[in-house]
Amino acid sequence: MAACAAGIALAAAACGAPSSPGTPAPAQAGQTQSAPSSSPSLAASTAPVPGTAAAVASQAPGFPQKLIPLMPKASLKSSSVDKNSSPASAGLVGTIAAPASAVFTFYTSALTAQGFKAAPGDKVGGTKSRDFVRANGETANISVVEEAGLTTFTVGANVAAGSLK
């Protein structure tokens, strides 16, 4: 699930204010200012990597909607997919004005219909969470937080690349 969390964190970071690495800082009195050097590695690290995508408030390109469908009436906050990792990963964050039990019911049904089986346990610390496993070590997780009548949920899966449908 760390890969899913990292993908979603990347999606959120991608929406931050753009940085300007080539913009020099103002010179202080008595100091000279030199022109910044260009960094080829910076340009390479910001280019999109084929097979990966992240989006805020929308489905990331190539997101496996059959594997992790968006719950009806839910608002999508972010999504990500990485087909290059092994296992491949996908995740989404959403909110809904429904109880956590409704979210667990919807995603448990969606995942078990695809051959996932719920693992024992329903909490990690104080967070409501449920893990699922499927053949060949594929895993999925649902984590839910309820606050002021709004439920925020994260659903992620680490699966074989061919399962990202």
Side-chain angles (χ1 to χ4, degrees):
M1 293 294 87
C4 288
I8 291 175
L10 287 173
C15 289
S19 62
S20 301
T23 305
Q28 294 180 355
Q31 291 183 334
T32 59
Q33 190 169 2
S34 62
S37 62
S38 64
S39 175
S41 62
L42 179 61
S45 67
T46 58
V49 176
T52 63
V56 175
S58 65
Q59 292 274 328
F63 187 83
Q65 295 176 16
K66 288 182 183 176
L67 177 66
I68 306 175
L70 180 62
M71 185 175 178
K73 299 184 181 180
S75 174
L76 182 61
K77 297 302 178 187
S78 65
S79 64
S80 64
V81 62
D82 183 354
K83 296 177 182 180
N84 297 329
S85 61
S86 182
S89 63
L92 65 79
V93 176
T95 58
I96 191 166
S101 60
V103 175
F104 278 117
T105 298
F106 175 81
Y107 283 106
T108 296
S109 177
L111 292 168
T112 57
Q114 297 177 69
F116 285 93
K117 296 191 184 325
D122 62 358
K123 281 190 177 181
V124 174
T127 302
K128 296 174 185 177
S129 179
R130 186 167 297 146
D131 290 319
F132 295 81
V133 294
R134 185 165 70 176
N136 300 321
E138 294 182 321
T139 62
N141 174 270
I142 308 165
S143 297
V144 177
V145 175
E146 289 179 283
E147 189 174 314
L150 190 64
T151 300
T152 301
F153 58 92
T154 302
V155 183
N158 292 309
V159 297
S163 295
L164 291 180
K165 299 176 188 169

